[in-house]
Amino acid sequence: SGYMSLSEDMVAFKKDGKWGYINLNTQFCIEPQYDEGSVFKDNIASVAIQKKWGCINKSGRVVIPTIYDRLIRNAGGYFCVMKDNKWGVIEPSGKIVIPVEYDNVFLSRNNSVWIIVKDKKHGAISKYGRLLYQCEYEHISFCETNQQLVCVKVGSEHFLISNGVKTKLPSNSRTRYYY
């Protein structure tokens, strides 16, 4: 038997090799049935069965099925999931925001835009799942204070996109890309 840290009035507890959750009165709220289990955060815990990850809520209901090879909660509260070496994004409710079809998916520095990568080309999707830019750039970077201002790299050339208008930057300009 073993304990994990207390989180949101529940404790992950290991019994007979399986993880479950007990309340502060040491009563099982969720019977031990998982090979791995995390603490609850915002009423959601990550769990694994046979090395496949998903999420449950405090009543034990599966909100994200245990079908993913990796599952990472990010700062925005969403879950980046990987299946068959492809990444996507799922809301805590289980709604798919970005289909699991990209080589990589991560939030921009200010947590407002998803950077997507497919075949070594970068694109962007809004935090809510709307495609902003196809995966056609070597790099893409968003201005932190104005999401309409984007810097992209195509081959050896750099462009600034402002309100949908792409302007080539001078060849002697230096550009840094921050995600």
Side-chain angles (χ1 to χ4, degrees):
S1 296
Y3 289 97
M4 188 181 259
S5 62
L6 172 66
S7 170
E8 297 187 13
D9 300 330
M10 294 181 88
V11 177
F13 186 83
K14 190 173 187 179
K15 180 180 178 186
D16 299 327
K18 297 289 182 180
W19 287 93
Y21 295 86
I22 58 176
N23 62 22
L24 298 179
N25 297 323
T26 67
Q27 298 170 321
F28 274 103
C29 300
I30 301 169
E31 290 293 323
Q33 57 193 294
Y34 300 103
D35 299 327
E36 302 279 346
S38 74
V39 296
F40 276 91
K41 181 176 180 186
D42 299 325
N43 298 314
I44 303 288
S46 303
V47 294
I49 298 174
Q50 296 179 351
K51 298 184 181 181
K52 297 293 183 180
W53 287 89
C55 292
I56 59 172
N57 64 18
K58 283 187 173 183
S59 67
R61 187 176 68 82
V62 174
V63 291
I64 297 176
T66 52
I67 60 171
Y68 298 101
D69 302 319
R70 293 190 64 195
L71 182 138
I72 302 168
R73 183 190 302 253
N74 66 37
Y78 293 79
F79 292 89
C80 292
V81 295
M82 183 185 76
K83 185 176 182 182
D84 300 326
N85 289 319
K86 296 294 179 185
W87 288 89
V89 176
I90 300 178
E91 288 181 352
S93 68
K95 178 185 174 208
I96 295 173
V97 177
I98 299 174
V100 182
E101 61 185 47
Y102 295 96
D103 300 330
N104 201 350
V105 174
F106 51 93
L107 271 175
S108 60
R109 279 178 38 181
N110 63 354
N111 295 334
S112 64
V113 176
W114 293 102
I115 305 297
I116 51 176
V117 181
K118 193 176 224 178
D119 299 325
K120 298 182 181 179
K121 299 289 185 179
H122 294 73
I125 293 178
S126 77
K127 193 170 181 178
Y128 308 104
R130 185 173 59 87
L131 181 66
L132 301 173
Y133 295 94
Q134 296 283 349
C135 292
E136 59 187 21
Y137 304 107
E138 277 80 34
H139 295 284
I140 189 167
S141 184
F142 286 79
C143 176
E144 287 190 36
T145 58
N146 178 357
Q147 292 301 301
Q148 300 301 311
L149 192 59
V150 181
C151 197
V152 297
K153 181 180 179 190
V154 180
S156 62
E157 298 180 323
H158 300 269
F159 297 87
L160 184 66
I161 302 174
S162 178
N163 296 317
V165 177
K166 188 175 0 177
T167 305
K168 184 178 176 193
L169 296 173
S171 59
N172 62 349
S173 63
R174 295 184 61 185
T175 305
R176 290 189 179 160
Y177 292 90
Y178 297 100
Y179 297 112

